[in-house]
Amino acid sequence: MTSDPAARPPLDKTRLAGLAPDVVPDVHILVVDEVPSTNALAVERAHAGAADGFVVVAEHQSQGRGRLDRTWETPRGTALTFSMVLRPSVPTRSWPWLPLLTGYAVDKALKALGYDAGVKWPNDVLIGDRKVAGILIERIETSEGPAAVVGVGLNVGMREDELPVPTATSLAVASGTEPDRNVVLVAVLSTLREAYDAWQAGGDATGLRLAESYAAACVTVGQDVRVDLPDGSALTGRATGIDPSGRLVVEGPGGTTYVAAGDVIHVRAAEQ
Ligand code: BT5
């Protein structure tokens, strides 16, 4: 593993800007050195007319955002922090699938690269029981219609002592080797684009198919969980599946509850 952070190879602007369409179709990648948040920049660009597939990736974020005003922290050069503008043609009622679709694609790309990853509903990607990637989706109205900004933070090269929280891990910590961020980015973007195109093309059956594939990759299904809800209450029970709308199905003492991703503060494995 690289011991000197300054020696970490930078993102390859030329290579990423010039990716051939057969490597990753329909993306245009902008590499920036430092921004407060790639999501904020992508939102700005979407308002200014950026097309579906515009991606901004930063060497460093100074104010990376998590969900619900939480923060996302990664030391310079150790992570992939990027956001993609999407302008889906599917009805907006299907858009709640976007965070799950993204988590599914990141998980699939990591598995293909040899990591033992899994998705935690709704949109965290884990290795073991530690978080390697987080996803933040923002939906906005632009003069060209509704758009979504899909933000992904993926811990790549951090050493154990560089991880921001004890619940985090990185690809380097998980495998003992620091992979090339350019290779990982291309793998994630191509898997994401493929999943997105299949979702857009799939019509009404897509939710069902996606629910099955997602459930198979999802470590939450089959676990006893505690779901913290915005009103301060908590739901406990066994997570038994994902419904065709992407909701988590929880069988509890009071019966079956369908939990939408937007309605949760935290999902945790229930204490035994
Ligand atoms: C997320 O929020 O997991 C969404 C993270 C999205 C980050 C990307 S980076 C590119 C784009 N631009 C942005 O500004 N954001 C997106 P949430 O589920 O709320 O998790 C946040 C929590 O994860 C924090 O409160 C910490 O406990 C923990 N955390 C912070 N940084 C982390 C990291 N690098 N790895 C793992 N966990 C982290």
Side-chain angles (χ1 to χ4, degrees):
M1 213 187 296
T2 313
S3 55
D4 173 11
R8 288 181 162 129
L11 291 164
D12 186 338
K13 285 188 185 187
T14 315
R15 175 173 165 210
L16 293 172
L19 283 182
D22 60 338
V23 180
V24 190
D26 306 320
V27 295
H28 170 73
I29 304 176
L30 172 70
V31 180
V32 295
D33 183 58
E34 181 166 333
V35 278
S37 152
T38 56
N39 259 41
L41 181 58
V43 165
E44 232 176 84
R45 293 297 184 99
H47 281 302
D52 182 277
F54 170 78
V55 175
V56 56
V57 53
E59 282 289 359
H60 187 56
Q61 286 190 135
S62 53
Q63 292 167 46
R65 300 180 190 161
R67 298 168 54 235
L68 307 168
D69 292 329
R70 295 189 285 241
T71 56
W72 188 257
E73 290 166 56
T74 46
R76 165 176 287 276
T78 63
L80 285 170
T81 46
F82 68 91
S83 303
M84 186 190 286
V85 173
L86 295 177
R87 298 185 181 275
S89 56
V90 297
T92 45
R93 68 178 146 79
S94 298
W95 289 27
W97 266 111
L98 274 174
L100 284 78
L101 179 92
T102 307
Y104 172 73
V106 172
D107 175 67
K108 192 172 172 191
L110 292 183
K111 282 181 173 132
L113 290 170
Y115 300 97
D116 191 9
V119 266
K120 177 183 163 207
W121 185 90
N123 55 6
D124 289 349
V125 181
L126 309 182
I127 296 182
D129 57 0
R130 288 158 72 182
K131 181 160 164 175
V132 71
I135 289 152
L136 176 68
I137 312 271
E138 293 179 62
R139 191 182 143 179
I140 52 169
E141 293 299 328
T142 72
S143 51
E144 278 140 82
V149 167
V150 173
V152 177
L154 172 59
N155 302 331
V156 178
M158 287 113 121
R159 297 181 314 248
E160 194 78 52
D161 64 345
E162 291 174 312
L163 295 168
V165 286
T167 49
T169 190
S170 69
L171 299 181
V173 166
S175 68
T177 316
E178 181 164 347
D180 180 337
R181 284 180 299 151
N182 298 288
V183 172
V184 179
L185 179 61
V186 170
V188 169
L189 285 177
S190 67
T191 315
L192 180 54
R193 250 353 257 197
E194 201 180 297
Y196 175 65
D197 290 345
W199 176 63
Q200 294 250 84
D204 281 344
T206 317
L208 206 57
R209 269 206 309 274
L210 204 50
E212 279 169 12
S213 319
Y214 184 88
C218 180
V219 299
T220 316
V221 172
Q223 276 183 347
D224 289 326
V225 293
R226 175 192 155 97
V227 182
D228 292 329
L229 300 166
D231 64 3
S233 68
L235 172 73
T236 51
R238 167 73 52 99
T240 56
I242 306 295
D243 83 353
S245 307
R247 294 178 302 180
L248 185 70
V249 184
V250 180
E251 310 280 354
T256 306
T257 311
Y258 298 85
V259 191
D263 294 340
V264 302
I265 305 286
H266 278 299
V267 182
R268 297 192 177 91
E271 283 167 23
Q272 303 300 312

